[in-house]
């Protein structure tokens, strides 16, 4: 399935500032939200439209509105939370589910601790949010959980990916389109993306 690497100048510029180790938590949070909003613009490009006639003060206008298909955003806790405000700015009526996963620092395998998804998820397209796609384990696991609830479609949106994670996610879930801000060089021995931006959760929440 398709991997969409973002080439928009605004996204590339903001990612550069985001990576900088001198960027403060406040700036980091703002940038994650802004980049998520810009990427959401791309990830929703194929939403179906339907005709609607609207009476303006002057005449009838033949317009288009988004058809019945509804969206749900599912951030992977913690770092995915940083992307929620940005995407809701564009799609304020979307539902938001949550999946709690953390990577075991030794095995690098995801450990699940929370899952709450919208009750009507079968009627929705889901966009999974996580700034980092490193080994891909967290995204693969989250998407497997969501698939058990049979949404209409699933997309993944991340800010920075490693080639290893993009490949693993594409192979595990070939039906899921991947929207990624940048694909970096590699993973290091600790499973961190190189050059990456460090630990996204710690930089968003200022926990280190
Ligand atoms: C980070 C990140 C992803 C995961 C990516 O979360 O936000 O969820 O690592 O790594 P993977 O692709 O190798 O699974 P982390 O486990 O650090 O948890 P946190 O968001 O609670 O800090
Ligand atoms: N999680 C992060 O927050 N950063 C990485 O580089 C890899 C996983």
């Amino acid at each position: 399935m398709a991997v969409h690497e973002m080439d928009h100048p605004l996204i590339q510029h903001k990612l550069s500032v985001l990576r900088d180790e001198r960027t403060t938590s406040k700036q980091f949070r703002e940038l994650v939200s802004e980049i998520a909003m810009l990427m959401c613009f791309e990830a929703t490009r194929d939403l179906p439209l339907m005709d609607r006639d609207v009476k303006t003060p002057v005449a009838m206008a033949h317009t288009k509105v988004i058809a019945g298909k509804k969206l749900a955003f599912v951030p992977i806790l913690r770092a995915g939370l940083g992307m929620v405000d940005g995407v809701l700015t564009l799609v304020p009526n979307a539902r938001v589910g949550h999946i709690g996963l953390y990577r075991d620092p030794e095995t690098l395998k995801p450990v699940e601790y929370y899952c709450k998804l919208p009750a009507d998820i079968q009627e929705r397209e889901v966009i999974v949010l996580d700034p980092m796609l490193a080994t891909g384990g967290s995204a693969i696991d989250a998407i497997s959980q969501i698939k058990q609830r049979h949404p209409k479609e699933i997309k993944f949106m991340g800010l920075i990916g490693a080639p290893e994670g993009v490949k693993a996610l594409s192979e595990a879930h070939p039906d899921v389109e991947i929207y990624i801000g940048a694909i970096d060089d590699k993973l290091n021995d600790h499973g961190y993306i190189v050059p990456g931006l460090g630990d996204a959760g710690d930089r968003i929440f200022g926990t280190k």
Side-chain angles (χ1 to χ4, degrees), residues 58-72:
V58 179
M60 288 304 291
H62 307 295
T63 68
K64 304 267 184 208
V65 293
I66 291 170
K69 203 172 179 187
K70 300 174 190 164
L71 276 180

Side-chain angles (χ1 to χ4, degrees), residues 76-80 101-104 108-110 113 130-139 165 187 191-192 199-202 205:
I76 301 178
L77 308 180
R78 288 177 301 171
L101 293 174
Y102 69 87
R103 258 186 1 165
D104 182 293
L108 299 183
K109 299 284 179 227
Y113 61 88
D130 194 327
M132 309 305 279
L133 182 62
T135 65
S138 302
L187 292 176
Y192 274 81
D199 188 302
D202 283 338
F205 296 107

Side-chain angles (χ1 to χ4, degrees), residues 13-90:
H13 179 89
K14 287 174 192 292
L15 279 175
S16 170
V17 184
L18 189 75
R19 291 175 188 273
D20 192 324
E21 64 179 5
R22 295 167 301 180
T23 297
T24 64
S25 274
K26 175 178 180 291
Q27 293 168 323
F28 195 91
R29 275 196 293 275
E30 290 166 357
L31 284 161
V32 167
S33 184
E34 287 169 10
I35 297 166
M37 183 182 71
L38 293 168
M39 289 186 64
C40 185
F41 198 73
E42 290 296 329
T44 53
R45 187 177 280 284
D46 61 353
L47 284 180
L49 292 170
M50 62 181 192
D51 296 326
R52 178 180 290 171
D53 289 346
V54 174
K55 190 169 180 300
T56 78
V58 179
M60 288 304 291
H62 307 295
T63 68
K64 304 267 184 208
V65 293
I66 291 170
K69 203 172 179 187
K70 300 174 190 164
L71 276 180
F73 295 113
V74 179
I76 301 178
L77 308 180
R78 288 177 301 171
L81 285 177
M83 300 170 73
V84 174
D85 279 357
V87 295
L88 285 180
T89 304
L90 283 195

